[in-house]
Amino acid sequence: MERSDSDIVFQSYGRCCNNEQFFIDFYERFMDSSVDIRELFTKTDMKVQRHLLRNGIMQLVLYARGMSDTKLRALGKSHDRNGYNIPPEWYHLWLDALIATLRQHDGDFSPEVEAAWNCALTSGINIIRQAY
Ligand code: HEM
């Protein structure tokens, strides 16, 4: 990935991540993508969850900028078959919901910004997904 991609992503996230509604809209969209996914969050305190996800996305962005993979490996462990048991096939729904929510909230969204997000997050998401 080019350095400029991670800069584009860093700035795009900066335009979105201080707005609680961004995370509300993300989870609504993500849960709309499958009844099985909605089911997983029925007992979750979503206010806490939104805060945790804000940090989780930041971990993905920082990994794309060269930070160590330790935090992502820990997420891989919590999501694996002995943890939340999240099948690897579901991660593309997560990424699709994220991109759609960025399109909705980032006033400077463009095909270039979308491509930068896809490029920047793929390897970090794979660390979590492949821990399954
Ligand atoms: C919990 C991030 C993908 C379901 C969490 C937490 C974080 C997080 C930071 C809280 C910390 C922890 O428990 O380890 C992410 C990131 C993802 C991702 C960055 C994408 C790469 C998914 C997917 C699903 C999912 C695809 C389901 C289809 C859950 C569930 C919890 C959780 C069920 C626990 C909720 C609870 O405590 O009740 N996730 N997640 N996650 N995640 Fe994910």
Side-chain angles (χ1 to χ4, degrees):
M1 190 197 47
E2 291 184 28
R3 180 77 200 175
S4 60
D5 278 344
S6 92
D7 287 343
I8 290 168
V9 162
F10 204 64
Q11 284 159 16
S12 170
Y13 197 43
R15 291 188 292 271
C16 297
C17 74
N18 291 322
N19 180 2
E20 174 111 29
Q21 195 62 43
F22 176 83
F23 298 95
I24 294 173
D25 291 343
F26 166 80
Y27 274 114
E28 268 318 301
R29 204 172 254 120
F30 184 43
M31 290 186 206
D32 273 348
S33 59
S34 146
V35 285
D36 294 331
I37 291 177
R38 188 168 289 277
E39 183 80 5
L40 286 173
F41 292 102
T42 45
K43 293 185 179 134
T44 304
D45 180 338
M46 291 312 292
K47 191 154 178 73
V48 172
Q49 185 66 21
R50 289 193 288 272
H51 187 76
L52 291 170
L53 184 70
R54 185 184 190 278
N55 285 318
I57 294 171
M58 186 53 87
Q59 298 309 326
L60 287 171
V61 172
L62 291 174
Y63 177 70
R65 290 169 77 80
M67 209 187 67
S68 100
D69 62 3
T70 310
K71 297 249 169 67
L72 297 184
R73 290 197 180 280
L75 281 178
K77 193 155 178 51
S78 70
H79 288 67
D80 75 12
R81 67 186 71 229
N82 302 311
Y84 307 134
N85 193 22
I86 307 303
E89 310 80 68
W90 285 359
Y91 285 88
H92 81 274
L93 298 173
W94 187 95
L95 184 58
D96 286 352
L98 181 68
I99 297 286
T101 311
L102 289 161
R103 184 179 295 116
Q104 176 190 358
H105 282 271
D106 178 0
D108 290 344
F109 201 77
S110 67
E112 189 192 16
V113 173
E114 178 170 351
W117 272 100
N118 276 309
C119 186
L121 293 200
T122 300
S123 66
I125 291 174
N126 279 340
I127 289 178
I128 301 173
R129 179 208 262 146
Q130 283 162 4
Y132 189 71

